[in-house]
Amino acid sequence: MTRYKLEIEQDSTGTWVGTSNLELEEGKTAYIVTGGTLEELRALVQEGVNGDLDIEGISFEEVFLTKSEATS
């Protein structure tokens, strides 16, 4: 199973954003998920893992960004 970092932050509007850089056979691609709540974001990421991404054997490690990390 391939494990990717999912960088999570809450933007100024209160929206939760998760971003991960996936390395696929076709090359690198960004995976971006947004949700109104952290729980919604997690549910949407899980839907992707369960098949919507059409990539088998992946998981995500949540990494929460602080405001200073998100702006750098």
Side-chain angles (χ1 to χ4, degrees):
M1 177 164 292
T2 304
R3 190 168 184 87
Y4 294 100
K5 287 185 180 179
L6 181 71
E7 295 181 340
I8 299 173
E9 62 183 303
Q10 189 175 29
D11 70 14
S12 61
T13 67
T15 300
W16 288 89
V17 180
T19 306
S20 185
N21 294 312
L22 306 180
E23 294 184 27
L24 309 176
E25 290 179 12
E26 305 83 36
K28 293 182 180 183
T29 188
Y31 177 55
I32 302 169
V33 181
T34 61
T37 64
L38 181 57
E39 292 77 20
E40 180 183 16
L41 176 78
R42 286 176 171 154
L44 292 170
V45 168
Q46 190 58 48
E47 284 180 19
V49 170
N50 289 342
D52 290 348
L53 291 179
D54 204 24
I55 306 168
E56 294 185 21
I58 66 168
S59 65
F60 293 99
E61 173 187 355
E62 294 181 350
V63 177
F64 288 89
L65 300 180
T66 64
K67 295 233 184 257
S68 61
E69 289 173 323
T71 57
S72 60

